[in-house]
Amino acid sequence: MPNKIEIILKTANNQPVSLKSMTPEALDSFLAVVSSLKSIATSIGSNTVFTISEGSASCAVYAPDNEVEVDNMYNGIELAIKGKSRDKNFTTNTKTIQDQLKRTGYDYRFIYTNDKYETHKVIQIHERLREAKKITLKRTKSEFEYKLRVVSGFLNQIGGNTPNYHFDYGHGNKITISCTKEEAIDIKKYLYQDIFVILFCKEWTSDKKSEYYHKQILDKEKVSVFKEFFQAYYIKEDIVDRLEYLHEFIYENIKNNINGIDILSILLNVFNTDNLHLSELKTLLVISKPFKNNSIIERERMLLVETYENIRNKK
Amino acid sequence: MFEIVRSNHESDINVDFVAIGNLVDNHFESTHSAFLIQYDETIYVFHYTGWEIEFKSQQTDDDYYHKITETITPDEIPAFLAYAKTIKKHANPIYGYFYSGEYYNTNGEHFGDKNLGESMTCVGFCLNVLKGFLEEDYIAYTDWSEDSHNDKDFLERFCAKYNKNPDLIKDAHRRITPRECLTSCFLKDLPIRKHVIDKKILQVNNHFTQLYQRTNN
């Protein structure tokens, strides 16, 4: 059995639930919970698979190609339950699940199963989630944090006077991503397609909505590399630890991955913004210096040098 | 000249910096050069001891005199620390008096124009690290000739020991002194020229002479 996280709705309004016949109210509750599980899963995994099955109403998520992703999802949920999560995606979605779990007349099971080791491990998350305090984001000193993220979505609108595009997730759930006119012209060829992008996100610690800025369209085969990179990068809280990891990550990719230089080129582009720590830009310049005449990164590196010098001279 | 600071006693803990430090002998002659990095109220020493690269928090028994370099801003110190730790993890220099403008990079790999292996002095190490970190060349190394070396047979002995061909590496055989390395921190027009250091070093020498006289009176 592969590792999985499963959520099961057994009774709603004190009535047993079956997928074959659900009341609108029970369906709403189940969809809200499933949608949150999906948001958590897709922020971590790149090849996640969902199974919805009968026997009450159940939805389970697996990551057949990389089972560690399921463990990472579970760890993220645990952190949110303990009130220690700084990841807004985890806290808001765990909170949605918590709200449904606490409803009177509703009986949910929320279970993490890890079969990879000799001991078969089944953890009943619902018990603690029901008892836990209201899930909130762990406050940082600052009001907001800038982060790079890999986001995917169905591109169903692009353009406007202030150029932007939308990812529509259904249920009135959508995000608006700002971009430049030049980027909009480039992105519009993906209209009505599912795409992956790296976004520069301004994430508030309050309930204020995150702001998104387009950085780069990502080929499908590079999605997992960057998802894993940003996950590991931002989980470290100390800037020096992050930068050391950045060195290691690029070193390993240049050495072992035929796409190493392409990956470096993408990082040079997505980190090119005024709002990151000057040391992040500087580290990328130091790492890429030996390859500065390589045609794949030459332009991206030159543009990053410009931004770096602008920030440095302003101070 | 207040800018040369005795690291253990006179450093303002609230300022983050990268500096070059010198250890001195009884006559206040500089014998060794190292990076002193202050970050988050801790001073770190990052240097090449002659047999290994060391990165550690500053010990009180090492009595460094340092000058902060203006080529690295306080916001860039996390980047410098991460770079230093990465070099420590991956690089492996052999002791030698070589400096041909090669540098450490991409995780401590040693980049150079000539195939010298990783051979250098404590000074060469500092200069290489700076060259790798800065966008522009730090020092105009060709200003220093073999004549700047006062250990005449060093090249021959070094090559015999490490099985290298002296003719191939002769051009890279230069000796930049720890005192010159410290003095370079007073300058920020890159690359730093030897004649500019030669001028400034008189004041630095004078400073250490005064320290010597004060200690011995």
Side-chain angles (χ1 to χ4, degrees), chain A residues 56 96 163 218 259 278 299:
Chain A
S56 311
T96 304
L218 209 53
N259 294 321
L278 187 61
R299 195 182 119 82

Side-chain angles (χ1 to χ4, degrees), chain A residues 31-146:
Chain A
L31 286 179
V33 165
V34 167
S35 164
S36 287
L37 182 64
K38 190 211 72 179
S39 298
I40 288 172
T42 50
S43 76
I44 297 258
S46 47
N47 292 298
T48 42
V49 174
F50 298 83
T51 306
I52 295 186
S53 53
E54 174 62 309
S56 311
S58 146
C59 174
V61 56
Y62 304 85
D65 299 337
N66 190 357
E67 297 235 15
V68 181
E69 291 176 357
V70 176
D71 305 336
N72 288 341
M73 291 170 210
Y74 168 68
N75 293 335
I77 293 168
E78 277 294 336
L79 218 56
I81 294 175
K82 287 179 187 144
K84 286 185 180 166
S85 177
R86 288 183 201 271
D87 188 320
K88 200 171 182 177
N89 182 49
F90 267 91
T91 55
T92 51
N93 287 298
T94 308
K95 165 83 169 49
T96 304
I97 296 172
Q98 185 187 39
D99 289 345
Q100 296 303 321
L101 259 62
K102 283 183 152 185
R103 283 178 70 172
T104 43
Y106 280 73
D107 183 11
Y108 268 105
R109 303 292 147 88
F110 190 18
I111 298 161
Y112 163 62
T113 313
N114 186 326
D115 262 341
K116 281 300 123 195
Y117 310 101
E118 301 215 327
T119 46
H120 171 79
K121 197 158 87 176
V122 180
I123 293 172
Q124 318 270 339
I125 312 171
H126 52 268
E127 289 171 3
R128 265 169 309 114
L129 188 52
R130 224 180 271 132
E131 302 302 317
K133 278 193 263 174
K134 181 182 159 190
I135 307 291
T136 53
L137 191 67
K138 184 171 181 198
R139 302 278 156 170
T140 44
K141 277 179 225 149
S142 53
E143 280 181 281
F144 56 81
E145 198 177 359
Y146 289 110

